Amino acid sequence: MKQPHGSERRVHPRYDYCARCSLTIAEQLKIIGKVANISRGGVYVALDYHCPESFHSMPMQLIFSADEDSEPIVIEAECRVARADNGGLGLVFSKLNSNAINRLIDLIEDA
């Protein structure tokens, strides 16, 4: 397993991760991006364009695949935007069900 990186203020260590993803916000806006790092607490999604600030507090569904041949991994959660910059969104998960948590743990262990 790779070593975690990031600030010590984080509750969960984050790991580099690369996967194409779609982020559906409030069932209104679908954004295609790339998961750049992952932790039990959230993900950073790299985007080609800025996500409107009005969507930052809305429920989100994240879907991504580890590679082109794998089954999509559906992570459905309410998220909040912890950080938004020109490169993408840092998302914090909330209300993850146990299945989603187990899938995240498996991904992190394989990262």
Side-chain angles (χ1 to χ4, degrees):
M1 180 189 300
K2 294 180 184 175
Q3 293 299 312
H5 64 81
S7 170
E8 301 216 10
R9 64 176 162 48
R10 295 180 186 280
V11 174
H12 303 287
R14 61 186 164 143
Y15 300 88
D16 289 333
Y17 193 80
C18 184
R20 296 181 71 150
C21 69
S22 66
L23 182 64
T24 304
I25 304 171
E27 299 178 4
Q28 295 178 29
L29 177 65
K30 184 173 184 175
I31 299 173
I32 304 300
K34 183 193 271 188
V35 173
N37 65 54
I38 190 168
S39 77
R40 284 187 68 173
V43 297
Y44 182 82
V45 177
L47 302 172
D48 289 334
Y49 54 90
H50 180 72
C51 176
E53 194 169 323
S54 59
F55 287 100
H56 288 189
S57 62
M58 295 183 176
M60 300 180 185
Q61 178 187 43
L62 181 66
I63 300 174
F64 61 97
S65 293
D67 58 52
E68 296 293 327
D69 298 326
S70 69
E71 274 299 305
I73 299 162
V74 179
I75 307 279
E76 198 166 346
E78 287 185 27
C79 301
R80 72 173 173 80
V81 175
R83 182 178 71 130
D85 57 33
N86 290 335
L89 298 173
L91 303 174
V92 176
F93 297 134
S94 62
K95 298 183 184 177
L96 284 174
N97 64 39
S98 60
N99 185 43
I101 291 170
N102 290 335
R103 286 178 174 230
L104 279 173
I105 291 169
D106 289 343
L107 287 173
I108 291 166
E109 288 176 353
D110 292 339

